[in-house]
Amino acid sequence: MFAEGALFYAGDPHFAMADGEVALTAVEGSLRATFRLTVCKPGSGDAPSVAFRYPFGETEDAWLPVGLSAPDGGVGGQLSDLDVAMRRAVVNALDFLEHDQGMDRAVAYAYLSAAADFHVSQVVDRTVGVHATISKEHFRD
């Protein structure tokens, strides 16, 4: 089922796969899940502001701004450009730190360089991805 603007997708589950998927090799798994979705409106504080326009992940310990080479399926000829994916991950991380964490953008840039980790998410498909890992521990009082 597809719902324009839903910003949710589930599929292609793996029991095991390393960061930076480089081949179509993983331990594939079946997916049986129940999802409970909550509508979050921009400005409500229920989700990071960047998440309303771009994929964004979160775990108990970290925020995961994402950058993709061609999230729209390759419009503009940027199918597999890892540099584009990295720049988008950095900009999304900067936007998150500035708008959601209240950090000065220049300080956020320095923080990302000194304390965040960037990982290649995947290179196996035409769209390549990079994600940042920003530790929540760094932002606890």
Side-chain angles (χ1 to χ4, degrees):
M1 178 178 208
F2 182 79
E4 184 70 36
L7 302 177
F8 176 78
Y9 173 82
D12 195 23
H14 299 121
F15 289 129
M17 183 183 80
D19 283 349
E21 183 182 8
V22 297
L24 294 174
T25 303
V27 179
E28 300 290 337
S30 62
L31 178 65
R32 183 180 304 231
T34 301
F35 297 98
R36 184 171 136 190
L37 304 178
T38 302
V39 175
C40 300
K41 297 186 187 254
S44 67
D46 293 334
S49 57
V50 71
F52 292 100
R53 61 178 169 72
Y54 214 88
F56 188 96
E58 183 174 358
T59 68
E60 184 177 320
D61 300 320
W63 293 293
L64 309 165
V66 175
L68 301 171
S69 63
D72 53 8
V75 174
Q78 299 174 344
L79 296 175
S80 295
D81 192 331
L82 207 48
D83 291 334
V84 170
M86 179 65 180
R87 282 192 299 273
R88 287 183 176 163
V90 169
V91 168
N92 288 337
L94 287 169
D95 287 349
F96 168 72
L97 291 172
E98 179 181 15
H99 301 297
D100 297 287
Q101 296 300 314
M103 190 179 283
D104 176 80
R105 198 166 184 91
V107 172
Y109 222 146
Y111 167 81
L112 290 174
S113 187
D117 293 318
F118 287 83
H119 305 273
V120 173
S121 302
Q122 69 146 14
V123 294
V124 68
D125 295 323
R126 291 174 25 149
T127 298
V128 297
V130 172
H131 68 274
T133 301
I134 299 172
S135 176
K136 291 180 179 180
E137 184 175 286
H138 298 166
F139 295 85
R140 292 193 177 113
D141 293 332

